[in-house]
Amino acid sequence: MNRCNNPDHPHCTVWVMPGDSTCTHGHPQASASNEAPLPSAAPIPAPAAPRPHLHPHLHISGFDPRAAGGRQVLKLELRGMPLDAAAGVTLLASSRLQLENGERHSFTRTVRGEWLPVFLEFSSRGLEHGQYRIELELHSRAQAAARTWIATLLILAPRADASLHDIHQTFLATHKNVRVHADDASIARLKARTGGGALDIDLRATNAGIAHLDLDNEGGGKIDLGFSSIAWDEDLLEIDVPEQAAQHPCPAGTACLVHDAAHGPPHSPRYLRLFALDECVIGRNEPGAIDADIRLMHHGESGLVLEGLTRRISSRHALLRRGREGFEIEDVSRYGLLVDGAWPGKHAPTPLRPGMRIELTASIPGVAVLEVTAVLPNGILLHRLDAGMEHEAFYVMDAERKLEAAPRLAALGLPLLFHRDGGFWHLDPRSGVETALSPTVNTAGLSGWPQGARFAARPYPEHRKGPATLVLRQERAAQDRRAAGA
C-alpha cells in the first residue's frame, strides 16, 4: 500500500491500495498499472507510528461519542513534563458538561518518574447536542518556580439518533489537521476483498484517528472486527504566572464570618459566608454536594430541613456573577426562580439591584428567599428573608479587588472585608490598617469587628460531618426546647 503519487497534488497523503487507479480524493495514480496485486494472505503494512511528543501534553483516551446523554470516563495521562515540575500537579477542570467527580484533581508522580493517570467523569444528560468545551488548568507549585499550563478539550455530544457516520464526520470537523494515515483526528479508508480466503489486516488509528474498513466478503464467512475508543494527544500551553507582591498567610477563595449566638447582634445572621469567585453556583445543600458554591436548604419552624422542600432546589439552580452591567443572576434549574415575582426565563441573565427579591423556586413560595441588601464597589450582599434569616447571609465579592469605601456595610453592622493576594482582608475604617484574616488572627483587636465573631477558612464550618448531622443536631435542640417549655 502506497501513498498518492500524483505530481499535480504533492500534498495529498492518502493511502492507495495496490491496483487502484485513483486515490480516495480522485487523483489518478501514475504507477498504478505497474503495481503487483496484493497477495491474499499477506498482511497490509500499518502506517508509521507518530513521533513521540517531547513537550508537555495530555494523552486522552476512552472517549466514545456514541454515548449521548450517558456517563463517560476520560483517562488523562500526563506526558513530557519538565524535570523541575513538582511531584504533585493540580488539575482544575471546568465545563458546562456535568463533571461527576468534581473539578479539582491531582497528578502524582511515581518514584520512577511516571505520572499516575486521572479519570475525569462527565455526563451530557439534559444538554443539547453539539460541541462542549472542557477547560483544563495544570498548576505545578515546585520550590524552584511555579508553572501553569492550560488546554481545552472539545467533546462532542451527538444527537441520540445520530448514525456512526454522522458522529465521525462531526468529530473530524471538530479536530482539524486531517491526514489520511489515521493520525491526529484523521480518517483512513481501506477497501479489501476477502474472496473467501484469509486476509490479515493491521490498520491503526492513533490520536483520535478513525479507520474506515470496507470488506467485500464474497464467501459469506464470518468477519470479526474490533475498534477501540477514540484517543488523542492535547498539547499543554504554558502561560506566564504573575508573581504576587505578597503571599497571604491563609489563601482562600471561600470563607465564613461566624457570630457567637450569645454575643451576636440581635436579628443578625450567625454565618456570613464569603465568596471571592468569578462565578458562584447557587444550589441545594446535601451530603456530598460538589456542584454548588452557595448551598441552600429550606428552613422550617424547627430549623433546617434536609429533605422535603429542600429537594425543590436543584443541585445547580442559578449562577451569580459579575456581568457588564454589574452583578447578575441566571436561572439554570429545573424548578425556576423568581426575581421580584417574575420569572426571567431560563439561561437569561438578569441584572441585580439593591432591594431585589430572589425566590427559589418559581412554583412553591417560601422554599428559599434572598434579598439584595447592598451592591458594593467590590461585591454584592445577600440576606435571607425566609425562616433562615438569622442563620446565614452571603457576601459575594470580586477576587483580587481592594475595598476603598463602603459606608453601607458599616450601616449594616458588618466589618469592611475584601479579597487580595489570594486571601481575605479586614480594613479598619478609622486608621486604614489592613489585616490579613486567618483562623489564628485575634479578631478582638480589630476595629469595627463584631463582638464574639471569628473567621473560618471554609464557607460552611458547621458542616464538619455533613449537613445531615447538622439537621439532626438542630432537631434534637428543638425537641429539648419544646420539652423545656412543656
Side-chain angles (χ1 to χ4, degrees):
M1 186 167 59
N2 301 318
R3 294 182 183 272
C4 175
N5 56 14
N6 191 298
D8 298 332
H9 302 276
H11 300 289
C12 180
T13 58
V14 178
W15 291 98
V16 182
M17 286 290 297
D20 289 349
S21 59
T22 60
C23 69
T24 308
H25 294 164
H27 305 152
Q29 302 301 297
S31 58
S33 59
N34 298 328
E35 294 179 350
L38 180 67
S40 59
I44 299 177
R51 297 180 60 184
H53 287 251
L54 301 178
H55 52 274
H57 68 281
L58 285 173
H59 181 72
I60 299 114
S61 59
F63 175 55
D64 185 1
R66 295 170 295 179
R71 176 179 295 183
Q72 295 201 53
V73 178
L74 289 181
K75 183 180 180 181
L76 307 182
E77 298 177 80
L78 187 59
R79 300 176 180 177
M81 291 297 289
L83 298 178
D84 60 347
V89 175
T90 302
L91 171 66
L92 301 178
S94 61
S95 175
R96 287 186 59 191
L97 295 169
Q98 303 173 15
L99 300 177
E100 303 292 341
N101 53 352
E103 299 181 349
R104 188 181 184 90
H105 309 268
S106 297
F107 285 102
T108 303
R109 187 169 55 193
T110 64
V111 294
R112 297 193 304 174
E114 302 172 349
W115 294 89
L116 298 178
V118 167
F119 295 91
L120 193 65
E121 301 180 22
F122 69 92
S123 172
S124 59
R125 187 178 304 276
L127 298 176
E128 297 181 358
H129 65 274
Q131 301 170 13
Y132 292 89
R133 296 179 300 174
I134 299 182
E135 304 287 347
L136 301 179
E137 292 185 14
L138 283 85
H139 300 278
S140 171
R141 297 293 181 258
Q143 296 182 356
R147 307 180 68 173
T148 299
W149 295 269
I150 60 174
T152 301
L153 311 182
L154 288 179
I155 300 300
L156 170 65
R159 304 186 313 272
D161 59 345
S163 64
L164 190 59
H165 176 74
D166 296 336
I167 294 174
H168 285 178
Q169 293 301 319
T170 305
F171 189 81
L172 289 178
T174 303
H175 295 72
K176 307 300 181 181
N177 302 326
V178 176
R179 294 190 297 271
V180 183
H181 55 79
D183 175 51
D184 193 11
S186 61
I187 185 169
R189 294 182 175 90
L190 175 63
K191 295 183 179 181
R193 296 183 178 181
T194 59
L199 180 62
D200 296 329
I201 298 178
D202 183 10
L203 184 61
R204 298 181 181 180
T206 59
N207 292 347
I210 299 174
H212 185 121
L213 182 60
D214 183 9
L215 294 178
D216 184 7
N217 187 18
E218 297 179 355
K222 182 180 178 181
I223 300 177
D224 294 328
L225 294 177
F227 293 97
S228 61
S229 57
I230 296 178
W232 70 95
D233 290 329
E234 195 72 42
D235 291 337
L236 294 175
L237 303 179
E238 186 173 2
I239 61 176
D240 293 332
V241 180
E243 297 182 358
Q244 298 180 351
Q247 185 176 3
H248 197 280
C250 182
T254 58
C256 185
L257 179 61
V258 184
H259 289 79
D260 189 352
H263 301 89
H267 306 294
S268 64
R270 184 176 183 184
Y271 300 99
L272 177 60
R273 312 196 193 276
L274 311 177
F275 300 91
L277 305 174
D278 295 333
E279 181 178 80
C280 281
V281 179
I282 303 175
R284 180 176 63 247
N285 196 353
E286 60 184 357
I290 57 176
D291 292 333
D293 303 305
I294 299 178
R295 305 198 293 266
L296 298 176
M297 296 177 64
H298 173 65
H299 284 253
E301 296 180 356
S302 60
L304 297 175
V305 181
L306 182 62
E307 298 293 337
L309 292 181
T310 297
R311 303 299 300 180
R312 303 295 291 185
I313 302 176
S314 301
S315 59
R316 290 176 57 89
H317 203 106
L319 303 179
L320 181 64
R321 58 176 175 262
R322 180 181 285 278
R324 295 183 178 180
E325 301 179 3
F327 280 89
E328 60 186 20
I329 192 169
E330 177 183 349
D331 179 19
V332 294
S333 68
R334 294 177 54 190
Y335 306 105
L337 60 85
L338 301 178
V339 179
D340 282 344
W343 180 51
K346 195 169 184 179
H347 300 300
T350 302
L352 296 177
R353 300 290 182 265
M356 279 188 169
R357 181 187 180 103
I358 304 171
E359 299 184 52
L360 288 72
T361 62
S363 57
I364 302 178
V367 177
V369 184
L370 303 176
E371 181 187 21
V372 181
T373 309
V375 178
L376 307 169
N378 73 323
I380 187 171
L381 191 63
L382 302 173
H383 278 77
R384 297 192 70 146
L385 293 182
D386 50 27
M389 179 183 301
E390 298 184 2
H391 180 73
E392 61 186 354
F394 308 94
Y395 186 7
V396 181
M397 62 186 70
D398 296 327
E400 303 299 330
R401 183 172 181 178
K402 182 180 176 180
L403 179 65
E404 298 178 355
R408 180 64 174 162
L409 273 178
L412 295 173
L414 298 176
L416 303 183
L417 305 175
F418 63 95
H419 189 272
R420 192 189 65 198
D421 297 335
F424 292 93
W425 295 73
H426 171 267
L427 175 63
D428 192 325
R430 298 180 180 178
S431 62
V433 176
E434 301 173 354
T435 304
L437 296 179
S438 67
T440 60
V441 171
N442 183 14
T443 58
L446 299 180
S447 176
W449 193 270
Q451 183 182 4
R454 61 182 176 88
F455 177 82
R458 56 184 186 274
Y460 293 87
E462 72 274 24
H463 293 180
R464 296 181 179 179
K465 296 183 180 181
T469 304
L470 175 65
V471 172
L472 294 176
R473 188 165 61 248
Q474 292 194 352
E475 288 180 352
R476 295 193 188 101
Q479 293 174 0
D480 295 340
R481 288 195 299 267
R482 289 194 294 269

